[in-house]
Amino acid sequence: MFGGALLALALGYHVAFTLAGVGIVFAGLGLWLDLGLFAGGDPAILGSVFDRIFGLMDTSTEILIAVPLFVFMGVMLERSAVAADMLETMGALFGAVRGGLGFSVVLVGMLLAASTGIVGATVVTMGLISLPVMLRHGYAKSLACGSIAASGTLGQIIPPSIVLVILGDTLSNEYMQARRDAGDWAPDPVSVGDLFAGALLPGLLLVLVYLAFQAGLATFAPRTSPSIAGAHAARPSPAALARVLLPPLALIVAVLGSILVGAATPTEAAAVGAVGALLLAGARLGDGRPIAELAATAGMVAILPLRVLFDLRINRDAIAGYDQAGMALAAGACALVVWGLARSLVTTFRGRGENDERVLFEVCAQTLRMSCMVFAIFIGAQIFNITFRGLGGDESVAALLHGLPGGPWAVMAAVMLTMFLLGFFLDFLEIVFVVVPVVAPVLFAFNGAGGEALFHPVWVAVMIAVNLQTSFLTPPFGFALFYLRGVAPASVSTLDIYRGVTPYVAIQVAVLLVVAAWPALATWLPGVVFGQPLATG
């Protein structure tokens, strides 16, 4: 069944319809051959797919609503040229330093990863803007390509990441069920916020190692990464630097910080990010007087202390005058937000430039396409998974993994290797929706010395994210390489791209091994932030 799905994907069929179609075909075979839960010609098991889809639409399961909101946030920052401004400003800031363009690419890649979370968009944006500049100033082709591709894949691991949102929702369900099956009736719940906190330190570690590698090349192989002549004169002023970099940084801190301090759920933080990205786009594309956008930002900031100082609930029998005053202030702050949003909506809808590019329309269309793709794959994956389990596939995989010599850590290594190889051919969505539900129960069934889970889901999620990031960067099939090849000039060969990413793949593998050896890198911060001591594996 799995081989049939891979064959259909290789023939070019769409992922969502491939998974659903293969699931239905093999369900028919199960009925015909009287296999597994399809024995007796009873197709009732397929009916559970409707319960799963209805559960996805249930308002109590709101975590996946964060997906279109984060997509909107990232695409808006890209299409409004906020991301391009960040790249150009950082390049001018570090240009006078030997290897400075490489430093700026890594740092902006980190910022774009935290603000977009979309690997393809980040690689393409940085490839279009940074690659010609780096080549023009004498950077080695391989180094320029490698730094751009590696920095673009940081969206897999730097929160807030769409990968972590989807992975967190899937892993949480599998973890709770697996622990109950193992006799642990009160496992600690795992949220997307836990995954965001757990991925932060490994992601920053990757950024630091990238920068150290760039600095090493600038020191010991200076011809590969020269400084830019005349960059001192073109260095941006502090005011220009603050105007370009501070708003996106403030947005990232607001989104991620609100989750980590418990002020907002990931979905609420994603809404803040979407609104903030729209205000930034309105200020960037407007008439140069962003009064409404600044007022809206002030209103959003003012609402937070008002929530703490006053009881703003209106469904009460008696409301004290003190709280009424707070409600009036909150209403005024909301009015400022509405004013700024209305102005930004008009600005981004009117269009700009010679081609009358309607930014808002394009962002909404792209958000709709990506969101439909995500949820269509989710539905197709549900049909595939139900049939796979109905035919006993999960039991076969569990028996195979448990039969490996070496115990739980051998199983973990086999799962990581399998996902790494599948990352050459499948996108992260297929791996998360199809592969993770099959292998996760096996990993979470292992008990530690105290009866708790041996492998904590936060650590497992971070390992999967870094592993897939490595796979997407590895020649010859890495997705990031194809994105970069599509925007690279003809003077850059495919071999240049492969040669450039090779040292970054080695860095990725080294960081993956470090996280494997010291699980506390992933589990320590969630325990500190959310007050739960997490298992360390």
Side-chain angles (χ1 to χ4, degrees):
M1 184 178 177
F2 197 79
L6 289 178
L7 177 62
L9 291 173
L11 293 175
Y13 292 101
H14 191 277
V15 174
F17 304 121
T18 293
L19 295 175
V22 170
I24 292 173
V25 167
F26 276 82
L29 288 175
L31 291 170
W32 180 43
L33 298 175
D34 209 32
L35 296 175
L37 296 180
F38 296 98
D42 185 8
I45 183 177
L46 284 179
S48 61
V49 71
F50 299 105
D51 295 330
R52 295 195 181 192
I53 296 172
F54 184 79
L56 177 68
M57 296 186 292
D58 189 358
T59 55
S60 63
T61 311
E62 64 175 22
I63 185 62
L64 291 181
I65 299 175
V67 172
L69 292 172
F70 276 134
V71 171
F72 179 91
M73 172 182 168
V75 177
M76 179 62 77
L77 291 176
E78 177 201 353
R79 294 300 177 90
S80 63
V82 172
D85 288 347
M86 292 169 61
L87 276 169
E88 293 173 0
T89 303
M90 291 290 284
L93 178 64
F94 289 104
V97 180
R98 188 177 297 278
L101 278 179
F103 296 149
S104 65
V105 164
V106 173
L107 292 174
V108 173
M110 176 186 69
L111 295 177
L112 290 181
S115 57
T116 66
I118 306 171
V119 171
T122 305
V123 173
V124 169
T125 299
M126 296 177 65
L128 288 171
I129 299 172
S130 296
L131 186 56
V133 176
M134 297 179 79
L135 296 179
R136 186 167 64 248
H137 289 287
Y139 273 70
K141 296 178 182 178
S142 58
L143 175 60
C145 294
S147 60
I148 289 173
S151 302
T153 58
L154 288 171
Q156 292 282 122
I157 186 67
I158 297 285
S161 165
I162 297 173
V163 176
L164 295 177
V165 172
I166 298 174
L167 187 57
D169 182 69
T170 303
L171 270 183
S172 176
N173 296 332
E174 298 298 335
Y175 171 71
M176 300 296 286
Q177 184 61 48
R179 293 312 300 162
R180 292 190 184 104
D181 293 342
D184 182 3
W185 294 102
D188 291 331
V190 179
S191 67
V192 173
D194 290 322
L195 266 61
F196 282 2
L200 189 58
L201 292 182
L204 293 178
L205 177 61
L206 269 176
V207 173
L208 290 176
V209 180
Y210 284 176
L211 291 173
F213 174 70
Q214 293 275 357
L217 283 181
T219 303
F220 299 106
R223 291 186 178 181
T224 63
S225 48
S227 59
I228 300 177
H232 284 288
R235 179 171 292 180
S237 65
L241 193 64
R243 185 175 62 252
V244 173
L245 295 182
L246 282 185
L249 278 174
L251 179 62
I252 294 168
V253 170
V255 172
L256 187 55
S258 61
I259 297 173
L260 296 182
V261 302
T265 66
T267 301
E268 292 166 346
V272 172
V275 170
L278 183 58
L279 292 176
L280 286 179
R284 168 66 175 75
L285 303 176
D287 56 6
R289 293 176 295 176
I291 299 175
E293 290 82 1
L294 290 175
T297 303
M300 292 175 64
V301 173
I303 290 174
L304 293 176
L306 289 175
R307 286 185 57 189
V308 177
L309 297 173
F310 301 96
D311 185 351
L312 301 180
R313 294 173 300 160
I314 61 173
N315 55 341
R316 291 181 287 162
D317 294 333
I319 302 177
Y322 177 76
D323 288 334
Q324 290 180 4
M327 290 178 180
L329 292 174
C334 290
L336 292 178
V337 174
V338 171
W339 177 36
L341 279 178
R343 175 71 178 271
S344 295
L345 286 169
V346 172
T347 300
T348 54
F349 181 76
R350 280 179 176 173
R352 63 171 190 174
E354 298 178 358
N355 299 325
D356 193 31
E357 182 182 358
R358 293 184 296 170
V359 173
L360 182 64
F361 177 82
E362 292 187 354
V363 170
C364 290
Q366 182 68 12
T367 302
L368 179 64
R369 282 193 294 269
M370 293 190 68
S371 301
C372 288
M373 177 191 71
V374 169
F375 294 116
I377 292 175
F378 177 89
I379 294 172
Q382 298 310 305
I383 300 174
F384 184 94
N385 289 337
I386 288 173
T387 302
F388 189 80
R389 292 182 172 182
L391 294 174
D394 55 339
E395 298 173 358
S396 300
V397 171
L400 175 65
L401 292 177
H402 281 297
L404 293 175
W409 284 98
V411 174
M412 183 67 186
V415 169
M416 288 295 105
L417 178 61
T418 301
M419 288 190 175
F420 178 80
L421 296 177
L422 289 176
F424 289 158
F425 311 102
L426 302 179
D427 194 24
F428 78 90
L429 288 173
E430 297 97 270
I431 293 176
V432 171
F433 286 144
V434 177
V435 181
V436 170
V438 175
V439 299
V442 181
L443 295 175
F444 297 144
F446 291 112
N447 289 327
E452 76 285 352
L454 178 63
F455 302 126
H456 195 278
V458 171
W459 176 74
V460 172
V462 172
M463 289 286 291
I464 291 174
V466 177
N467 189 23
L468 291 181
Q469 182 184 356
T470 308
S471 180
F472 295 160
L473 198 60
T474 302
F477 302 110
F479 283 101
L481 311 182
F482 293 117
Y483 291 136
L484 185 58
R485 175 68 276 176
V487 298
S491 60
V492 175
S493 67
T494 302
L495 186 60
D496 290 327
I497 298 176
Y498 289 174
R499 190 184 300 116
V501 299
T502 300
Y504 289 96
V505 172
I507 291 173
Q508 290 279 151
V509 172
V511 171
L512 183 65
L513 293 176
V514 169
V515 177
W518 289 282
L521 276 174
T523 59
W524 174 78
L525 188 58
V528 171
V529 172
F530 298 107
Q532 298 181 22
L534 299 181
T536 56

